[in-house]
Amino acid sequence: MDFSIVVPIYNEQDNIDDLYAAITAALDGSEARYEIIMVDDGSNDGSYGALQRIAALDDRLKVIRLRRNFGQTAAMSAGFDAARGSVIIPMDGDLQNDPADIPRLLEKLNEGYDVVSGWRRERKDTFVTRKIPSRLANALISSMTGVHLHDYGCTLKAYRREVLDAVNLYGEMHRFVPALASQIGARVAELPVNHRPRLRGTSKYCISRTLRVVLDLMTVKFLLSYSTKPIQLFGKWGIYTLLAGVGSGAMTLYMKIFEHHSMNRNPLLILTAFLLFMGVQFIVLGLLGELNARTYFESQSKPIYVIRDRINLG
Ligand code: UDP
Ligand code: MG
């Protein structure tokens, strides 16, 4: 199997026929052997019926139906787990992504990349509620993760399967796969892709997604930088806070002895107690984090490194 196309579907009944037609039209000229995995994420319209109908005629279309609506990331993850291709290509089920871009993504991947990420250069979505928050989020993700892309949110991407096997998805994390993949040394490239307005059905998201993305970004940043060494983060802040506490304590004493400021009337005393307390808390959190990191890595026999090639090692 050359590649697997993975499509999350949530209430897209009016798009499924056209989507299937567009994918097959874009790929049937080529020699490639491929499969299409459509994951029905607990739709409550006629989506599943439409999928069943096509799957009966074409066994390249594989259908997974989730028991309830688990969300786009979970649906994609179900598709990734079932995919058998050596390259995996997720895309939206609402025809906003263009299947005609798939051959170009594959070409780019074959230039020696592990991930090629689509860039909706001319994005056809509403300006205020979608494009502006997305611009800000992209800039933030780019500077925090150190993986510089213009458009993390584009579903249309191409992954080598080894890369996807190595990352586990939670929450709304599908947009962070390139960043997580680069953590294991994947080579990531970007390619402008076509984007079209949604003609049928409705978008499943509103502006509140921005908040979820920011929270997930915090998780990803922590995982990327500190998952194997939490004490380095919390311990550092703990020590700074303790030092600030000692400083403010010394100041309180100085004011008591040389300036005859009564300590219990000096607000610095409260600050001192607060900072010392926080400092200890930070360090204890770091130590608990270290314990957790050991449970996480050792319970899965997960190494803290990733190997690309080995020579003479069998
Ligand atoms: N989707 C899904 N589960 C959900 C929400 C969305 O499988 O809970 C699918 C949806 O059917 C579509 C894709 O994810 O194929 C992207 O959703 P949408 O087009 O609503 O997002 P937007 O393009 O507005 O960002
Ligand atoms: Mg869409």
Side-chain angles (χ1 to χ4, degrees), residues 12 92 94 96 125 130 195 198 203:
E12 305 284 2
D92 278 345
D94 58 0
Q96 288 198 269
D125 276 316
R130 306 303 297 275
H195 193 247
R198 185 191 257 278
S203 173

Side-chain angles (χ1 to χ4, degrees), residues 10 22 89-90 94 118 124 127 138 158 165 170 191 198 219 237 248 291 301:
Y10 182 50
I89 302 173
D94 58 0
K124 303 289 190 318
F127 189 69
N138 283 324
D165 285 345
Y170 297 90
L191 189 75
R198 185 191 257 278
T219 314
W237 286 106
S248 115
L291 205 58
S301 309

Side-chain angles (χ1 to χ4, degrees), residues 7-12 39 41 69-72 75 91-94 96 120 123 125 130 155 195 198 202-205 209:
V7 192
I9 300 281
Y10 182 50
N11 293 348
E12 305 284 2
V39 184
D41 184 16
N69 178 236
F70 284 87
Q72 187 182 350
M91 65 183 287
D92 278 345
D94 58 0
Q96 288 198 269
R120 296 166 291 181
R123 187 169 169 181
D125 276 316
R130 306 303 297 275
T155 309
H195 193 247
R198 185 191 257 278
T202 50
S203 173
K204 312 301 181 296
Y205 298 105
R209 177 160 64 172

Side-chain angles (χ1 to χ4, degrees), residues 74-98:
M76 288 167 68
S77 191
F80 295 161
D81 291 342
R84 307 234 308 278
S86 51
V87 170
I88 297 175
I89 302 173
M91 65 183 287
D92 278 345
D94 58 0
L95 286 162
Q96 288 198 269
N97 293 138
D98 185 353

Side-chain angles (χ1 to χ4, degrees), residues 34-105:
Y34 67 96
E35 62 181 357
I36 310 170
I37 301 183
M38 298 217 188
V39 184
D40 175 10
D41 184 16
S43 298
N44 44 33
D45 65 352
S47 296
Y48 187 67
L51 293 174
Q52 270 179 316
R53 209 168 5 85
I54 305 172
L57 302 174
D58 182 351
D59 61 6
R60 289 174 307 177
L61 175 67
K62 296 164 186 175
V63 181
I64 297 172
R65 186 187 200 181
L66 303 186
R67 282 202 178 266
R68 64 167 172 84
N69 178 236
F70 284 87
Q72 187 182 350
T73 298
M76 288 167 68
S77 191
F80 295 161
D81 291 342
R84 307 234 308 278
S86 51
V87 170
I88 297 175
I89 302 173
M91 65 183 287
D92 278 345
D94 58 0
L95 286 162
Q96 288 198 269
N97 293 138
D98 185 353
D101 285 320
I102 292 175
R104 293 174 49 236
L105 285 171

Side-chain angles (χ1 to χ4, degrees), residues 186-206:
R187 287 152 292 191
V188 181
E190 191 171 45
L191 189 75
V193 294
N194 193 4
H195 193 247
R196 303 177 289 199
R198 185 191 257 278
L199 297 178
R200 274 158 294 180
T202 50
S203 173
K204 312 301 181 296
Y205 298 105
C206 57

